[in-house]
Amino acid sequence: MDAIEVTRTRHGPFERIVLAATEGRKSQLAVYRVGDLLVDTGGTRVSAALVAALRDDPPRRIVCTHQHEDHAGGAMALRRAFGELPVHAPAAHVELLRGFDRVPDYRATAWGHPEPIPDARGYHAGARFPAGGAVLEAVETPGHTPGHMALLATVGGETWALTGDLYVTDRPLTAWYESAADDMVRSLRLLAARPGLRALPTHGAALEDGGAAFAAVADLVEREADRVRAAADRLGTVEPSVLARALYGPEGPFAERSGGEFSTAAFVRSVLAPVRSLPAAVPALA
Ligand SMILES: [Zn+2]
């Protein structure tokens, strides 16, 4: 079994449980606990470590921010350990989760292959999950993938946001192939407008000033979207790989290894042909 380092910290009403693979392909993700509710499950690579961490006080419910293997892939392993916990997932992802059992190798080495969830319960924007004295409200935040949800809790005048993969990096110009740049900007600004936003993403550090971080990324994506459209006019093409090469140079080795799933071509396409529904095609590389 992989060595998984577990780190637990408290953030307002939430416990943040970080699971980091420290050997072989390194990876890092966080799941969040409030009361009897667990938000996201991690992937199957960290399931044994997460089960051990939760064993003394198991959750009774699971809510997933979105369908990806590092967020919902480990749900069935938790159920085998703790009983038939209900799994709530964005309604747009319920059908996908029924058959989601394999991912490309470069993802499987980081997160593990997902296990399908045959009976996930769909929730919609505005759904409320009371837990541990807080109320988590689902806010539709597409951009990383259609149907993505953030879960917000206002406690003592502060808004805590579990933002899943809406914010993964401060420079998302190597983009995920299910992205929509305009949706991402709208979602980031929607959350940034909440006063005193504290953002708790799945990957990377907690953000004390989530408003500033999200506004900066929204500004960057808007500026780059303008450059993409200008290049398309200038070069007379909307082919993502051609425009990506002209603006950002050759794709890096990770983009090649991902077969284009994470690429600058995917960013260009997220501007010119934003993904609004799933499944999405992977853009060709030059
Ligand atoms: Zn994701």
Side-chain angles (χ1 to χ4, degrees):
M1 198 180 80
D2 287 316
I4 306 295
E5 201 174 277
V6 179
T7 310
R8 309 174 81 144
T9 50
R10 175 136 307 262
H11 304 262
F14 296 103
E15 185 187 23
R16 172 176 153 100
I17 305 172
V18 173
L19 299 138
T22 55
E23 289 171 10
R25 170 83 186 278
K26 292 187 175 45
S27 63
Q28 181 257 21
L29 64 84
V31 301
Y32 293 91
R33 175 75 188 264
V34 54
D36 67 352
L37 192 155
L38 184 72
V39 176
D40 285 339
T41 69
T44 53
R45 189 181 182 194
V46 300
S47 289
L50 183 56
V51 165
L54 296 171
R55 173 94 54 204
D56 286 346
D57 182 19
R60 305 310 314 161
R61 298 174 283 162
I62 293 169
V63 179
C64 295
T65 57
H66 65 293
Q67 81 284 21
H68 291 148
E69 67 274 13
D70 47 336
H71 299 259
M76 299 307 280
L78 294 176
R79 286 170 134 189
R80 276 195 298 279
F82 301 136
E84 287 301 302
L85 321 182
V87 179
H88 303 270
H93 299 160
V94 164
E95 198 54 46
L96 293 167
L97 286 168
R98 273 191 232 284
F100 193 36
D101 64 351
R102 273 201 87 71
V103 290
D105 282 350
Y106 85 99
R107 287 158 61 180
T109 55
W111 314 119
H113 286 296
E115 282 191 75
I117 307 171
D119 59 348
R121 306 176 185 195
Y123 69 87
H124 293 90
R128 292 161 70 84
F129 300 96
V135 178
L136 272 64
E137 183 197 349
V139 176
E140 192 154 28
T141 45
H144 167 70
T145 191
H148 183 284
M149 296 281 184
L151 295 155
L152 271 59
T154 301
V155 179
E158 289 177 315
T159 297
W160 298 86
L162 307 185
T163 55
D165 282 352
L166 173 63
Y167 176 100
V168 177
T169 158
D170 61 1
R171 215 178 146 72
L173 305 183
T174 298
W176 174 241
Y177 76 103
E178 293 168 355
S179 299
D182 52 356
D183 283 341
M184 181 174 289
V185 168
R186 269 193 296 274
S187 295
L188 289 166
R189 293 210 191 284
L190 180 73
L191 297 189
R194 302 266 182 148
L197 181 81
R198 311 277 202 103
L200 299 169
T202 297
H203 307 288
L207 301 167
E208 285 288 314
D209 189 348
F214 286 11
V217 173
D219 290 347
L220 170 72
V221 170
E222 276 186 333
R223 275 198 309 276
E224 290 296 325
D226 286 344
R227 290 184 67 218
V228 166
R229 282 186 286 265
D233 286 346
R234 193 171 65 245
L235 300 173
T237 179
V238 292
E239 173 52 43
S241 63
V242 173
L243 292 167
R245 179 174 286 264
L247 287 166
Y248 306 114
E251 298 276 4
F254 184 67
E256 297 288 346
R257 199 145 47 90
S258 80
E261 287 193 348
F262 271 106
S263 59
T264 54
F267 177 75
V268 168
R269 194 186 62 182
S270 81
V271 173
L272 298 177
V275 173
R276 308 282 190 218
S277 63
L278 298 169
V282 179
L285 297 182

PDB file of all heavy atoms in Angstrom, residues 39-40 62-66 87-94 120-129 137-140 147-151:
ATOM      1  N   VAL A  39     -17.598  15.853   3.397  1.00  0.00           N
ATOM      2  CA  VAL A  39     -17.670  16.440   2.059  1.00  0.00           C
ATOM      3  C   VAL A  39     -16.488  15.923   1.244  1.00  0.00           C
ATOM      4  O   VAL A  39     -15.330  16.157   1.599  1.00  0.00           O
ATOM      5  CB  VAL A  39     -17.671  17.975   2.109  1.00  0.00           C
ATOM      6  CG1 VAL A  39     -17.634  18.548   0.688  1.00  0.00           C
ATOM      7  CG2 VAL A  39     -18.913  18.474   2.838  1.00  0.00           C
ATOM      8  N   ASP A  40     -16.817  15.199   0.203  1.00  0.00           N
ATOM      9  CA  ASP A  40     -15.892  14.516  -0.707  1.00  0.00           C
ATOM     10  C   ASP A  40     -15.223  13.330  -0.005  1.00  0.00           C
ATOM     11  O   ASP A  40     -15.172  13.261   1.228  1.00  0.00           O
ATOM     12  CB  ASP A  40     -14.885  15.466  -1.345  1.00  0.00           C
ATOM     13  CG  ASP A  40     -15.527  16.316  -2.451  1.00  0.00           C
ATOM     14  OD1 ASP A  40     -16.583  15.908  -2.968  1.00  0.00           O
ATOM     15  OD2 ASP A  40     -14.967  17.376  -2.792  1.00  0.00           O
ATOM     16  N   ILE A  62     -22.491  11.454   3.187  1.00  0.00           N
ATOM     17  CA  ILE A  62     -21.440  11.961   2.299  1.00  0.00           C
ATOM     18  C   ILE A  62     -22.088  12.920   1.306  1.00  0.00           C
ATOM     19  O   ILE A  62     -23.152  12.627   0.755  1.00  0.00           O
ATOM     20  CB  ILE A  62     -20.765  10.798   1.536  1.00  0.00           C
ATOM     21  CG1 ILE A  62     -19.987   9.898   2.508  1.00  0.00           C
ATOM     22  CG2 ILE A  62     -19.844  11.326   0.429  1.00  0.00           C
ATOM     23  CD1 ILE A  62     -19.521   8.582   1.895  1.00  0.00           C
ATOM     24  N   VAL A  63     -21.449  14.070   1.095  1.00  0.00           N
ATOM     25  CA  VAL A  63     -21.856  14.993   0.030  1.00  0.00           C
ATOM     26  C   VAL A  63     -20.639  15.216  -0.859  1.00  0.00           C
ATOM     27  O   VAL A  63     -19.554  15.528  -0.354  1.00  0.00           O
ATOM     28  CB  VAL A  63     -22.355  16.339   0.593  1.00  0.00           C
ATOM     29  CG1 VAL A  63     -22.739  17.282  -0.550  1.00  0.00           C
ATOM     30  CG2 VAL A  63     -23.547  16.133   1.522  1.00  0.00           C
ATOM     31  N   CYS A  64     -20.810  15.035  -2.159  1.00  0.00           N
ATOM     32  CA  CYS A  64     -19.700  15.246  -3.094  1.00  0.00           C
ATOM     33  C   CYS A  64     -19.903  16.559  -3.847  1.00  0.00           C
ATOM     34  O   CYS A  64     -21.019  16.893  -4.239  1.00  0.00           O
ATOM     35  CB  CYS A  64     -19.608  14.095  -4.095  1.00  0.00           C
ATOM     36  SG  CYS A  64     -19.195  12.523  -3.312  1.00  0.00           S
ATOM     37  N   THR A  65     -18.786  17.288  -4.055  1.00  0.00           N
ATOM     38  CA  THR A  65     -18.850  18.544  -4.812  1.00  0.00           C
ATOM     39  C   THR A  65     -18.993  18.282  -6.306  1.00  0.00           C
ATOM     40  O   THR A  65     -19.580  19.077  -7.018  1.00  0.00           O
ATOM     41  CB  THR A  65     -17.589  19.393  -4.588  1.00  0.00           C
ATOM     42  OG1 THR A  65     -16.431  18.619  -4.970  1.00  0.00           O
ATOM     43  CG2 THR A  65     -17.463  19.833  -3.140  1.00  0.00           C
ATOM     44  N   HIS A  66     -18.394  17.183  -6.771  1.00  0.00           N
ATOM     45  CA  HIS A  66     -18.505  16.814  -8.186  1.00  0.00           C
ATOM     46  C   HIS A  66     -18.062  15.376  -8.370  1.00  0.00           C
ATOM     47  O   HIS A  66     -17.726  14.693  -7.408  1.00  0.00           O
ATOM     48  CB  HIS A  66     -17.786  17.809  -9.094  1.00  0.00           C
ATOM     49  CG  HIS A  66     -16.293  17.886  -8.949  1.00  0.00           C
ATOM     50  ND1 HIS A  66     -15.672  18.353  -7.816  1.00  0.00           N
ATOM     51  CD2 HIS A  66     -15.299  17.573  -9.824  1.00  0.00           C
ATOM     52  CE1 HIS A  66     -14.363  18.330  -7.990  1.00  0.00           C
ATOM     53  NE2 HIS A  66     -14.101  17.858  -9.195  1.00  0.00           N
ATOM     54  N   VAL A  87     -25.067   8.845  -0.216  1.00  0.00           N
ATOM     55  CA  VAL A  87     -24.102   9.671  -0.950  1.00  0.00           C
ATOM     56  C   VAL A  87     -24.882  10.669  -1.793  1.00  0.00           C
ATOM     57  O   VAL A  87     -25.645  10.273  -2.686  1.00  0.00           O
ATOM     58  CB  VAL A  87     -23.206   8.805  -1.862  1.00  0.00           C
ATOM     59  CG1 VAL A  87     -22.223   9.692  -2.631  1.00  0.00           C
ATOM     60  CG2 VAL A  87     -22.464   7.754  -1.045  1.00  0.00           C
ATOM     61  N   HIS A  88     -24.721  11.956  -1.475  1.00  0.00           N
ATOM     62  CA  HIS A  88     -25.381  13.022  -2.228  1.00  0.00           C
ATOM     63  C   HIS A  88     -24.383  13.582  -3.229  1.00  0.00           C
ATOM     64  O   HIS A  88     -23.263  13.931  -2.856  1.00  0.00           O
ATOM     65  CB  HIS A  88     -25.857  14.133  -1.290  1.00  0.00           C
ATOM     66  CG  HIS A  88     -26.792  13.637  -0.218  1.00  0.00           C
ATOM     67  ND1 HIS A  88     -28.158  13.598  -0.395  1.00  0.00           N
ATOM     68  CD2 HIS A  88     -26.545  13.149   1.021  1.00  0.00           C
ATOM     69  CE1 HIS A  88     -28.719  13.112   0.708  1.00  0.00           C
ATOM     70  NE2 HIS A  88     -27.763  12.828   1.577  1.00  0.00           N
ATOM     71  N   ALA A  89     -24.814  13.680  -4.491  1.00  0.00           N
ATOM     72  CA  ALA A  89     -23.933  14.201  -5.546  1.00  0.00           C
ATOM     73  C   ALA A  89     -24.736  15.187  -6.387  1.00  0.00           C
ATOM     74  O   ALA A  89     -25.971  15.104  -6.451  1.00  0.00           O
ATOM     75  CB  ALA A  89     -23.417  13.060  -6.419  1.00  0.00           C
ATOM     76  N   PRO A  90     -24.061  16.141  -7.047  1.00  0.00           N
ATOM     77  CA  PRO A  90     -24.807  17.048  -7.924  1.00  0.00           C
ATOM     78  C   PRO A  90     -25.679  16.239  -8.883  1.00  0.00           C
ATOM     79  O   PRO A  90     -25.233  15.227  -9.443  1.00  0.00           O
ATOM     80  CB  PRO A  90     -23.701  17.797  -8.664  1.00  0.00           C
ATOM     81  CG  PRO A  90     -22.551  17.794  -7.712  1.00  0.00           C
ATOM     82  CD  PRO A  90     -22.617  16.433  -7.036  1.00  0.00           C
ATOM     83  N   ALA A  91     -26.926  16.682  -9.065  1.00  0.00           N
ATOM     84  CA  ALA A  91     -27.873  15.915  -9.886  1.00  0.00           C
ATOM     85  C   ALA A  91     -27.310  15.651 -11.282  1.00  0.00           C
ATOM     86  O   ALA A  91     -27.528  14.588 -11.859  1.00  0.00           O
ATOM     87  CB  ALA A  91     -29.204  16.664  -9.968  1.00  0.00           C
ATOM     88  N   ALA A  92     -26.532  16.608 -11.814  1.00  0.00           N
ATOM     89  CA  ALA A  92     -25.972  16.460 -13.157  1.00  0.00           C
ATOM     90  C   ALA A  92     -24.957  15.317 -13.242  1.00  0.00           C
ATOM     91  O   ALA A  92     -24.596  14.892 -14.341  1.00  0.00           O
ATOM     92  CB  ALA A  92     -25.300  17.770 -13.587  1.00  0.00           C
ATOM     93  N   HIS A  93     -24.494  14.805 -12.086  1.00  0.00           N
ATOM     94  CA  HIS A  93     -23.421  13.806 -12.095  1.00  0.00           C
ATOM     95  C   HIS A  93     -23.872  12.410 -11.674  1.00  0.00           C
ATOM     96  O   HIS A  93     -23.086  11.464 -11.726  1.00  0.00           O
ATOM     97  CB  HIS A  93     -22.289  14.260 -11.167  1.00  0.00           C
ATOM     98  CG  HIS A  93     -21.675  15.566 -11.590  1.00  0.00           C
ATOM     99  ND1 HIS A  93     -20.960  16.369 -10.747  1.00  0.00           N
ATOM    100  CD2 HIS A  93     -21.685  16.202 -12.794  1.00  0.00           C
ATOM    101  CE1 HIS A  93     -20.545  17.456 -11.396  1.00  0.00           C
ATOM    102  NE2 HIS A  93     -20.989  17.374 -12.637  1.00  0.00           N
ATOM    103  N   VAL A  94     -25.118  12.294 -11.241  1.00  0.00           N
ATOM    104  CA  VAL A  94     -25.584  11.020 -10.682  1.00  0.00           C
ATOM    105  C   VAL A  94     -25.462   9.882 -11.701  1.00  0.00           C
ATOM    106  O   VAL A  94     -24.973   8.793 -11.388  1.00  0.00           O
ATOM    107  CB  VAL A  94     -27.037  11.169 -10.178  1.00  0.00           C
ATOM    108  CG1 VAL A  94     -27.686   9.817  -9.955  1.00  0.00           C
ATOM    109  CG2 VAL A  94     -27.051  11.990  -8.887  1.00  0.00           C
ATOM    110  N   ALA A 120     -26.274   6.960  -5.977  1.00  0.00           N
ATOM    111  CA  ALA A 120     -26.055   8.347  -5.515  1.00  0.00           C
ATOM    112  C   ALA A 120     -27.366   9.119  -5.617  1.00  0.00           C
ATOM    113  O   ALA A 120     -28.157   8.899  -6.539  1.00  0.00           O
ATOM    114  CB  ALA A 120     -24.973   9.008  -6.352  1.00  0.00           C
ATOM    115  N   ARG A 121     -27.591  10.006  -4.654  1.00  0.00           N
ATOM    116  CA  ARG A 121     -28.812  10.818  -4.621  1.00  0.00           C
ATOM    117  C   ARG A 121     -28.471  12.208  -5.154  1.00  0.00           C
ATOM    118  O   ARG A 121     -27.560  12.859  -4.645  1.00  0.00           O
ATOM    119  CB  ARG A 121     -29.326  10.948  -3.192  1.00  0.00           C
ATOM    120  CG  ARG A 121     -29.529   9.598  -2.528  1.00  0.00           C
ATOM    121  CD  ARG A 121     -29.940   9.772  -1.071  1.00  0.00           C
ATOM    122  NE  ARG A 121     -30.005   8.459  -0.424  1.00  0.00           N
ATOM    123  CZ  ARG A 121     -30.590   8.230   0.745  1.00  0.00           C
ATOM    124  NH1 ARG A 121     -31.153   9.231   1.411  1.00  0.00           N
ATOM    125  NH2 ARG A 121     -30.614   7.021   1.260  1.00  0.00           N
ATOM    126  N   GLY A 122     -29.203  12.664  -6.149  1.00  0.00           N
ATOM    127  CA  GLY A 122     -28.903  13.955  -6.762  1.00  0.00           C
ATOM    128  C   GLY A 122     -29.363  15.124  -5.909  1.00  0.00           C
ATOM    129  O   GLY A 122     -30.428  15.067  -5.310  1.00  0.00           O
ATOM    130  N   TYR A 123     -28.538  16.157  -5.832  1.00  0.00           N
ATOM    131  CA  TYR A 123     -28.997  17.411  -5.207  1.00  0.00           C
ATOM    132  C   TYR A 123     -28.797  18.550  -6.188  1.00  0.00           C
ATOM    133  O   TYR A 123     -28.014  18.451  -7.132  1.00  0.00           O
ATOM    134  CB  TYR A 123     -28.297  17.676  -3.872  1.00  0.00           C
ATOM    135  CG  TYR A 123     -26.823  18.029  -3.934  1.00  0.00           C
ATOM    136  CD1 TYR A 123     -26.401  19.340  -4.103  1.00  0.00           C
ATOM    137  CD2 TYR A 123     -25.849  17.051  -3.788  1.00  0.00           C
ATOM    138  CE1 TYR A 123     -25.051  19.671  -4.133  1.00  0.00           C
ATOM    139  CE2 TYR A 123     -24.502  17.368  -3.820  1.00  0.00           C
ATOM    140  CZ  TYR A 123     -24.103  18.687  -3.999  1.00  0.00           C
ATOM    141  OH  TYR A 123     -22.767  19.013  -4.039  1.00  0.00           O
ATOM    142  N   HIS A 124     -29.551  19.623  -5.952  1.00  0.00           N
ATOM    143  CA  HIS A 124     -29.524  20.787  -6.841  1.00  0.00           C
ATOM    144  C   HIS A 124     -29.003  22.007  -6.089  1.00  0.00           C
ATOM    145  O   HIS A 124     -28.927  22.001  -4.850  1.00  0.00           O
ATOM    146  CB  HIS A 124     -30.930  21.071  -7.391  1.00  0.00           C
ATOM    147  CG  HIS A 124     -31.433  20.004  -8.311  1.00  0.00           C
ATOM    148  ND1 HIS A 124     -32.158  18.915  -7.860  1.00  0.00           N
ATOM    149  CD2 HIS A 124     -31.285  19.842  -9.650  1.00  0.00           C
ATOM    150  CE1 HIS A 124     -32.447  18.133  -8.885  1.00  0.00           C
ATOM    151  NE2 HIS A 124     -31.929  18.663  -9.982  1.00  0.00           N
ATOM    152  N   ALA A 125     -28.684  23.074  -6.836  1.00  0.00           N
ATOM    153  CA  ALA A 125     -28.299  24.343  -6.216  1.00  0.00           C
ATOM    154  C   ALA A 125     -29.386  24.760  -5.242  1.00  0.00           C
ATOM    155  O   ALA A 125     -30.584  24.588  -5.513  1.00  0.00           O
ATOM    156  CB  ALA A 125     -28.112  25.414  -7.288  1.00  0.00           C
ATOM    157  N   GLY A 126     -28.992  25.279  -4.093  1.00  0.00           N
ATOM    158  CA  GLY A 126     -29.952  25.681  -3.077  1.00  0.00           C
ATOM    159  C   GLY A 126     -30.236  24.593  -2.054  1.00  0.00           C
ATOM    160  O   GLY A 126     -30.852  24.871  -1.021  1.00  0.00           O
ATOM    161  N   ALA A 127     -29.770  23.360  -2.318  1.00  0.00           N
ATOM    162  CA  ALA A 127     -29.944  22.280  -1.331  1.00  0.00           C
ATOM    163  C   ALA A 127     -29.232  22.688  -0.036  1.00  0.00           C
ATOM    164  O   ALA A 127     -28.185  23.324  -0.077  1.00  0.00           O
ATOM    165  CB  ALA A 127     -29.363  20.974  -1.866  1.00  0.00           C
ATOM    166  N   ARG A 128     -29.821  22.323   1.096  1.00  0.00           N
ATOM    167  CA  ARG A 128     -29.236  22.675   2.387  1.00  0.00           C
ATOM    168  C   ARG A 128     -28.991  21.410   3.192  1.00  0.00           C
ATOM    169  O   ARG A 128     -29.850  20.547   3.292  1.00  0.00           O
ATOM    170  CB  ARG A 128     -30.182  23.619   3.142  1.00  0.00           C
ATOM    171  CG  ARG A 128     -30.290  24.989   2.457  1.00  0.00           C
ATOM    172  CD  ARG A 128     -31.529  25.742   2.892  1.00  0.00           C
ATOM    173  NE  ARG A 128     -31.459  26.195   4.279  1.00  0.00           N
ATOM    174  CZ  ARG A 128     -30.857  27.332   4.651  1.00  0.00           C
ATOM    175  NH1 ARG A 128     -30.294  28.102   3.762  1.00  0.00           N
ATOM    176  NH2 ARG A 128     -30.844  27.691   5.911  1.00  0.00           N
ATOM    177  N   PHE A 129     -27.785  21.319   3.743  1.00  0.00           N
ATOM    178  CA  PHE A 129     -27.401  20.169   4.547  1.00  0.00           C
ATOM    179  C   PHE A 129     -27.012  20.666   5.948  1.00  0.00           C
ATOM    180  O   PHE A 129     -25.892  21.131   6.148  1.00  0.00           O
ATOM    181  CB  PHE A 129     -26.207  19.446   3.915  1.00  0.00           C
ATOM    182  CG  PHE A 129     -26.449  18.928   2.531  1.00  0.00           C
ATOM    183  CD1 PHE A 129     -26.059  19.662   1.414  1.00  0.00           C
ATOM    184  CD2 PHE A 129     -27.068  17.698   2.322  1.00  0.00           C
ATOM    185  CE1 PHE A 129     -26.279  19.194   0.129  1.00  0.00           C
ATOM    186  CE2 PHE A 129     -27.292  17.217   1.041  1.00  0.00           C
ATOM    187  CZ  PHE A 129     -26.896  17.962  -0.061  1.00  0.00           C
ATOM    188  N   GLU A 137     -24.907  25.150   2.347  1.00  0.00           N
ATOM    189  CA  GLU A 137     -25.779  25.450   1.219  1.00  0.00           C
ATOM    190  C   GLU A 137     -25.037  25.185  -0.081  1.00  0.00           C
ATOM    191  O   GLU A 137     -23.892  25.609  -0.252  1.00  0.00           O
ATOM    192  CB  GLU A 137     -26.213  26.933   1.270  1.00  0.00           C
ATOM    193  CG  GLU A 137     -27.184  27.285   0.155  1.00  0.00           C
ATOM    194  CD  GLU A 137     -27.324  28.787  -0.079  1.00  0.00           C
ATOM    195  OE1 GLU A 137     -26.824  29.567   0.752  1.00  0.00           O
ATOM    196  OE2 GLU A 137     -27.913  29.145  -1.112  1.00  0.00           O
ATOM    197  N   ALA A 138     -25.699  24.470  -0.993  1.00  0.00           N
ATOM    198  CA  ALA A 138     -25.076  24.150  -2.281  1.00  0.00           C
ATOM    199  C   ALA A 138     -25.222  25.330  -3.234  1.00  0.00           C
ATOM    200  O   ALA A 138     -26.325  25.838  -3.437  1.00  0.00           O
ATOM    201  CB  ALA A 138     -25.735  22.912  -2.877  1.00  0.00           C
ATOM    202  N   VAL A 139     -24.100  25.762  -3.795  1.00  0.00           N
ATOM    203  CA  VAL A 139     -24.082  26.869  -4.762  1.00  0.00           C
ATOM    204  C   VAL A 139     -23.471  26.333  -6.055  1.00  0.00           C
ATOM    205  O   VAL A 139     -22.358  25.805  -6.043  1.00  0.00           O
ATOM    206  CB  VAL A 139     -23.259  28.059  -4.225  1.00  0.00           C
ATOM    207  CG1 VAL A 139     -23.165  29.165  -5.269  1.00  0.00           C
ATOM    208  CG2 VAL A 139     -23.869  28.584  -2.926  1.00  0.00           C
ATOM    209  N   GLU A 140     -24.216  26.472  -7.144  1.00  0.00           N
ATOM    210  CA  GLU A 140     -23.725  25.955  -8.420  1.00  0.00           C
ATOM    211  C   GLU A 140     -22.525  26.790  -8.863  1.00  0.00           C
ATOM    212  O   GLU A 140     -22.620  28.015  -8.957  1.00  0.00           O
ATOM    213  CB  GLU A 140     -24.827  25.995  -9.475  1.00  0.00           C
ATOM    214  CG  GLU A 140     -24.459  25.208 -10.715  1.00  0.00           C
ATOM    215  CD  GLU A 140     -25.686  24.712 -11.458  1.00  0.00           C
ATOM    216  OE1 GLU A 140     -26.741  25.369 -11.368  1.00  0.00           O
ATOM    217  OE2 GLU A 140     -25.569  23.672 -12.125  1.00  0.00           O
ATOM    218  N   GLY A 147     -21.885  21.459 -13.701  1.00  0.00           N
ATOM    219  CA  GLY A 147     -22.604  20.844 -12.580  1.00  0.00           C
ATOM    220  C   GLY A 147     -21.868  20.905 -11.255  1.00  0.00           C
ATOM    221  O   GLY A 147     -22.412  20.498 -10.231  1.00  0.00           O
ATOM    222  N   HIS A 148     -20.628  21.401 -11.252  1.00  0.00           N
ATOM    223  CA  HIS A 148     -19.822  21.479 -10.027  1.00  0.00           C
ATOM    224  C   HIS A 148     -20.541  22.329  -8.972  1.00  0.00           C
ATOM    225  O   HIS A 148     -21.144  23.339  -9.291  1.00  0.00           O
ATOM    226  CB  HIS A 148     -18.475  22.101 -10.378  1.00  0.00           C
ATOM    227  CG  HIS A 148     -17.496  22.198  -9.241  1.00  0.00           C
ATOM    228  ND1 HIS A 148     -17.604  23.147  -8.247  1.00  0.00           N
ATOM    229  CD2 HIS A 148     -16.394  21.470  -8.949  1.00  0.00           C
ATOM    230  CE1 HIS A 148     -16.601  22.989  -7.396  1.00  0.00           C
ATOM    231  NE2 HIS A 148     -15.855  21.973  -7.800  1.00  0.00           N
ATOM    232  N   MET A 149     -20.479  21.901  -7.721  1.00  0.00           N
ATOM    233  CA  MET A 149     -21.100  22.636  -6.614  1.00  0.00           C
ATOM    234  C   MET A 149     -20.045  23.024  -5.574  1.00  0.00           C
ATOM    235  O   MET A 149     -19.123  22.253  -5.295  1.00  0.00           O
ATOM    236  CB  MET A 149     -22.143  21.762  -5.910  1.00  0.00           C
ATOM    237  CG  MET A 149     -23.321  21.377  -6.779  1.00  0.00           C
ATOM    238  SD  MET A 149     -24.518  22.723  -6.923  1.00  0.00           S
ATOM    239  CE  MET A 149     -25.797  21.859  -7.884  1.00  0.00           C
ATOM    240  N   ALA A 150     -20.225  24.224  -4.996  1.00  0.00           N
ATOM    241  CA  ALA A 150     -19.510  24.594  -3.779  1.00  0.00           C
ATOM    242  C   ALA A 150     -20.497  24.493  -2.628  1.00  0.00           C
ATOM    243  O   ALA A 150     -21.710  24.599  -2.828  1.00  0.00           O
ATOM    244  CB  ALA A 150     -18.967  26.013  -3.890  1.00  0.00           C
ATOM    245  N   LEU A 151     -19.992  24.265  -1.428  1.00  0.00           N
ATOM    246  CA  LEU A 151     -20.845  24.157  -0.245  1.00  0.00           C
ATOM    247  C   LEU A 151     -20.437  25.250   0.728  1.00  0.00           C
ATOM    248  O   LEU A 151     -19.288  25.293   1.174  1.00  0.00           O
ATOM    249  CB  LEU A 151     -20.717  22.769   0.369  1.00  0.00           C
ATOM    250  CG  LEU A 151     -21.265  21.688  -0.584  1.00  0.00           C
ATOM    251  CD1 LEU A 151     -20.641  20.335  -0.310  1.00  0.00           C
ATOM    252  CD2 LEU A 151     -22.785  21.603  -0.498  1.00  0.00           C
TER     253      LEU A 151
END
